[in-house]
Amino acid sequence: MKLLFWDCGMGCAGDMLSAALLALCPDPAGMLEKLNALGIPGVRYTAENAEKCGIVGTRLRVTCLGDEEGGSAPHAHHGLHLGDIRALIASLAMPEAAKVNAGRVYDLLASAESAAHGVPMEHIHFHELGTMDAVADIAAVCFLLELLAPERIVCSPVRTGFGAVKCAHGILPVPAPAAASLLTGIPTFAGEIEGELCTPTGAALLKAFASDFGRQPAMTVAVVGYGMGTKDFPAANCVRALLGEAAEQIVELCCEVDDMTGEDIGYAIGALRRAGALDVSWQAVGMKKDRPGVRLTCLCRPDLRDAMVRLIFQLTATLGIREALCARYILRRSFATEETPWGPVRLKRAEGWDTARTKPEYDDIAAIAEKTGLSPAEIRNQLSGGRDDA
């Protein structure tokens, strides 16, 4: 599993996250060109080395019509409404999934601002969060995550800082009300440094993308990136990002039954799969009083454990279920299409852990076999050097 870990022990801001992600890219200069081609009005990204407490990392600067951090860009001081921002995001030259995620981040921000100020979401008038540099930070993070394609994102507990911050609404406590709302359910701590260390933009990005919060999981790190903030503190003001491979934690649920029909067992297996089980299998076993029975094994992600347990009790005759927490190592899956003399054939590609292989989709091979009278083996042997089927 491709895992991204964000170390936010010194807080989090949009520009720090985007800089850390840029540093993970194999070709940061080429990626910077893609960011500058997004089409955000008046915005230009530049990257430079920066040092904090002896650590060298990346500082990603956003200039708007020549002025850094908002300046004289259109709407820089007046902000935008949520509808304006949605329209702007829709116009950007980045993958559709990245646009959807950017919109989701702004929906989280709008919901937090709505709760803090008692204004309906669609009427929220963004100030700092509606400037072009804020849009640029969010778009950059969403775009870079889409290209880096981590399968799981884990974040450390987040340092918020303490004290007060001056914004368009006046002087507010740290974390700002919108950030405090977004950080609910996320482990945080104030730390000993006075000031705003986690911004609403940073909090919204963490809320949108991190699936778990806690210590760094066991992983084989491939690359490390440091995204530097603008201010200097006694501790290094940066977000550290680690990208690598990790085992996926899954739950194995197991039970035996000896008083169910094959039809009912088959229905239970299908229901568990439809409910989100990663895999369900059965095997014949000998049970007490020398009766033949079936051992049912269900693999699922930890967040589906309770739902799977309920279904097993509801749909089988078992009186007890055993649970084991397992580490699962998997290859990343992707799909492509190859044109053949018989029409398009879907290809499944699996890669990771220094391994890569491609296999044609069985259903497509079977359909060609039905039409042509060739055997599946003959068809596979004629496809790109004879790939083995999945």
Side-chain angles (χ1 to χ4, degrees):
M1 164 185 283
K2 194 175 184 181
L3 174 70
L4 173 64
F5 179 72
W6 279 326
D7 182 352
C8 294
M10 267 301 290
C12 176
D15 61 334
M16 295 163 71
L17 280 175
S18 56
L21 294 175
L22 180 65
L24 297 178
C25 296
D27 179 17
M31 194 59 62
L32 194 63
E33 291 182 8
K34 293 181 180 180
L35 289 176
N36 280 315
L38 289 177
I40 304 175
V43 162
R44 180 162 182 80
Y45 298 89
T46 56
E48 60 188 34
N49 289 336
E51 182 180 324
K52 302 290 181 182
C53 297
I55 300 173
V56 176
T58 301
R59 172 85 176 98
L60 186 61
R61 296 184 180 275
V62 173
T63 53
C64 302
L65 297 182
D67 293 333
E68 188 177 355
E69 300 301 327
S72 59
H75 307 289
H77 300 289
H78 302 292
L80 300 170
H81 287 94
L82 185 58
D84 301 323
I85 292 172
R86 286 173 176 160
L88 174 58
I89 290 170
S91 72
L92 300 182
M94 63 182 184
E96 192 61 33
K99 295 180 185 180
V100 170
N101 283 330
R104 188 162 58 92
V105 172
Y106 260 107
D107 284 346
L108 287 171
L109 283 165
S111 178
E113 291 281 354
S114 174
H117 304 294
V119 179
M121 279 181 55
E122 296 297 334
H123 295 163
I124 288 293
H125 191 236
F126 291 102
H127 295 280
E128 289 88 352
L129 301 178
T131 57
M132 288 299 106
D133 58 294
V135 175
D137 289 340
I138 291 171
V141 170
C142 294
F143 184 45
L144 288 164
L145 283 176
E146 185 67 19
L147 297 179
L148 290 169
E151 296 165 89
R152 182 185 176 208
I153 299 176
V154 179
C155 182
S156 72
V158 182
R159 188 194 298 237
T160 63
F162 67 92
V165 61
K166 186 177 181 180
C167 66
H169 296 286
I171 297 176
L172 299 175
V174 170
S181 175
L182 288 161
L183 290 169
T184 55
I186 295 174
T188 62
F189 64 102
E192 69 286 353
I193 295 176
E194 184 173 1
E196 183 185 35
L197 300 184
C198 183
T199 67
T201 299
L205 288 163
L206 298 183
K207 191 89 165 184
F209 290 109
S211 59
D212 299 285
F213 292 85
R215 294 179 179 177
Q216 177 189 331
M219 62 185 295
T220 303
V221 177
V223 61
V224 180
Y226 290 87
M228 301 311 203
T230 56
K231 297 179 180 179
D232 292 318
F233 296 110
N237 184 24
C238 65
V239 167
R240 179 166 60 180
L242 291 78
L243 187 66
E245 296 284 350
E248 179 183 13
Q249 294 296 310
I250 62 169
V251 174
E252 180 183 81
L253 302 171
C254 188
C255 67
E256 286 88 19
V257 293
D258 62 2
D259 53 354
M260 290 180 65
T261 67
E263 291 91 341
D264 288 350
I265 292 171
Y267 180 83
I269 290 172
L272 288 166
R273 285 180 175 150
R274 290 190 295 274
L278 296 169
D279 197 8
V280 188
S281 61
W282 67 271
Q283 64 185 110
V285 295
M287 299 185 65
K288 61 185 179 181
K289 299 183 181 179
D290 299 321
R291 290 194 297 257
V294 168
R295 174 173 296 156
L296 185 70
T297 301
C298 173
L299 302 180
C300 68
R301 292 188 172 88
D303 61 320
L304 288 179
R305 173 199 290 112
D306 291 349
M308 295 295 133
V309 167
R310 288 193 193 92
L311 271 179
I312 293 172
F313 277 130
Q314 290 170 3
L315 299 178
T316 75
T318 190
L319 299 178
I321 301 169
R322 298 184 300 280
E323 174 188 296
L325 188 63
C326 306
R328 185 175 76 142
Y329 298 89
I330 60 174
L331 299 180
R332 296 186 298 277
R333 266 74 56 94
S334 61
F335 297 88
T337 300
E338 178 179 311
E339 290 298 328
T340 76
W342 309 288
V345 171
R346 290 170 294 171
L347 302 176
K348 295 186 290 187
R349 180 172 176 80
E351 56 187 328
W353 299 96
D354 298 325
T355 300
R357 53 177 176 261
T358 303
K359 299 180 181 180
E361 178 63 49
Y362 170 76
D363 290 343
D364 293 356
I365 297 297
I368 293 171
E370 288 288 333
K371 291 179 182 178
T372 63
L374 297 171
S375 70
E378 290 174 310
I379 297 168
R380 285 194 297 268
N381 286 335
Q382 294 183 49
L383 290 177
S384 299
R387 299 185 182 90
D388 293 329
D389 184 49

